[in-house]
Amino acid sequence: MAEASAAGRALARIAREDPRLCAFIEVWPERALADAGRAGGLPLAGMPFAVKGRTGIRSYAARRLIAAGAVPVGATSVPGPGTPWQTWGLGAHGRTVNPWRPDRTPGGSSAGSAVAVAAGLVGLATGSDGAGSVRIPAAWCGVFGLKTTNGLLPSPDRTGLASAGVLTRSVAGARTYLRTVLDVYEPVPPVLPVPAVFSPGPGYADVDPEVAAVVRGAVGRLVAAGVVRLVDRTCELLDPCEAWLSVRGGSPSPRAEEIRYANDAVLDALFARTPLLLTPVTPNRPHGHDGPGELYSTALTWAFNLSGHPAASVPAGFTADGCPVGLQLVAERGADVPLLGVAGAVEDVLTAKG
């Protein structure tokens, strides 16, 4: 029966939980149940997923998932109008809340996608990431998030800053996503320990001491488990704020080009010798629904939108007040599949009990 299908169960969860979470703008029960009935025999036969915003159903990734038999159940919340900050969402029932701390924002702009995955409404939701819009909500909602290499998948963003991404309960879900959206997918098991540079800053950002401590503790566990080997190098970047804002505005200034060139040179040199960079995802923990104030929650993510590198957020732990913290993994351009291999090993350690 359709009601017993994975899509039917997802729709039931959404109907029960979304009035509280406000993760969805629209839900499509009739379409989802009809699609589920036609999906038999396809690779993703009937797997429910959500798309970011009303336009997400037209994205390249969503079309590939649907062609493989996945079933879109609804469009997730994104920031509403009237605010300059994007780390929140507005669903059909009101403002989107963080499942761990309802008084805090889930992050954004892929806000509802992160909440839908974190709350178990769906196992996978699409996102897009122009400054951290996948990685920030993944970090603040305690799920896995991947920003793909800029240009790897089609994007409507003319500035080149935004790339497709996905939010999932675990790295395994992101593997399913990449296997589906890429024409060629060859798994690359990591050779452990993976040499890595750990840069808490990296060179310009002030990080909340407790957030930094959680991430540092997670990196220590990875070293102790033999997943990573820290190398004696640093990653000192220039603050990308001016460059990102200039590029987004459509008229990059000479100073913006200087910042971008300098940071690209640093990152090219780093990845020529070391396959992995580790940082916190955000300098702060999830802020309240009244906004982040003067703080840029994107401080540690948008550098890699400018540079184009793939980057992932892996749950690293919690602050004492119950806020999730993310560990950011960054790899060489085009190394999305190897990055998932490393992320899986990282996840195994950081989610282990005891």
Side-chain angles (χ1 to χ4, degrees):
M1 294 177 60
E3 290 78 11
S5 69
R9 292 191 296 273
L11 290 166
R13 290 191 296 270
I14 294 167
R16 184 175 62 250
E17 301 293 340
D18 199 52
R20 172 178 62 88
L21 297 168
C22 305
F24 282 84
I25 301 170
E26 296 176 354
V27 183
W28 309 316
E30 293 182 3
R31 170 181 176 158
L33 294 176
D35 287 351
R38 295 190 291 263
L42 293 172
L44 300 183
M47 183 193 82
F49 76 101
V51 299
K52 177 183 177 178
R54 290 185 176 91
T55 62
I57 194 67
R58 300 196 297 269
S59 70
Y60 177 82
R63 296 198 307 270
R64 291 291 292 257
L65 290 165
I66 292 167
V71 175
V73 295
T76 58
S77 66
V78 293
T83 177
W85 48 277
Q86 299 294 301
T87 47
W88 70 298
L90 184 64
H93 300 286
R95 67 186 183 191
T96 311
V97 302
N98 191 307
W100 295 95
R101 286 283 306 265
D103 63 324
R104 305 292 176 91
T105 177
S109 60
S110 306
S113 286
V115 173
V117 170
L121 307 184
V122 292
L124 182 153
T126 65
S128 59
D129 190 314
S133 291
V134 164
R135 289 161 288 161
I136 293 169
W140 286 357
C141 291
V143 299
F144 180 78
L146 173 70
K147 178 198 92 71
T148 57
T149 298
N150 293 36
L152 181 70
L153 299 173
S155 170
D157 180 22
R158 295 181 179 180
T159 69
L161 293 172
S163 59
V166 67
L167 298 106
T168 58
R169 297 283 286 178
S170 68
V171 175
R175 290 195 194 103
T176 297
Y177 171 87
L178 275 192
R179 188 181 299 114
T180 304
V181 300
L182 296 180
D183 292 329
V184 178
Y185 178 90
E186 297 286 346
V188 182
V191 177
L192 305 179
V194 179
V197 171
F198 175 43
S199 186
Y204 60 87
D206 292 325
V207 180
D208 177 324
E210 193 171 355
V211 169
V214 171
V215 171
R216 195 176 296 277
V219 172
R221 290 176 62 189
L222 297 175
V223 171
V227 170
V228 302
R229 174 178 60 82
L230 297 184
V231 300
D232 188 19
R233 300 189 190 108
T234 61
C235 180
E236 301 291 320
L237 300 176
L238 299 176
D239 189 338
C241 177
E242 180 180 348
W244 189 95
L245 293 173
S246 180
V247 172
R248 173 58 76 190
S251 299
S253 66
R255 177 56 181 162
E257 295 298 336
E258 290 175 9
I259 293 170
R260 198 171 192 178
Y261 178 83
N263 284 352
D264 280 354
V266 170
L267 292 169
D268 287 347
L270 186 153
F271 288 117
R273 302 175 63 187
T274 311
L276 188 64
L277 172 63
L278 304 172
T279 79
V281 174
T282 64
N284 54 333
R285 64 193 79 194
H287 56 75
H289 292 283
D290 56 349
E294 299 299 316
L295 183 64
Y296 282 107
S297 302
T298 55
L300 299 170
T301 50
W302 53 5
F304 308 110
N305 297 91
L306 281 165
S307 68
H309 292 83
S313 174
V314 180
F318 294 82
T319 56
D321 59 352
C323 293
V325 174
L327 169 65
Q328 182 168 225
L329 282 61
V330 188
E332 179 58 280
R333 299 179 192 89
D336 301 63
V337 175
L339 177 60
L340 282 190
V342 176
V346 169
E347 179 183 80
D348 287 344
V349 172
L350 298 185
T351 60
K353 304 297 183 183

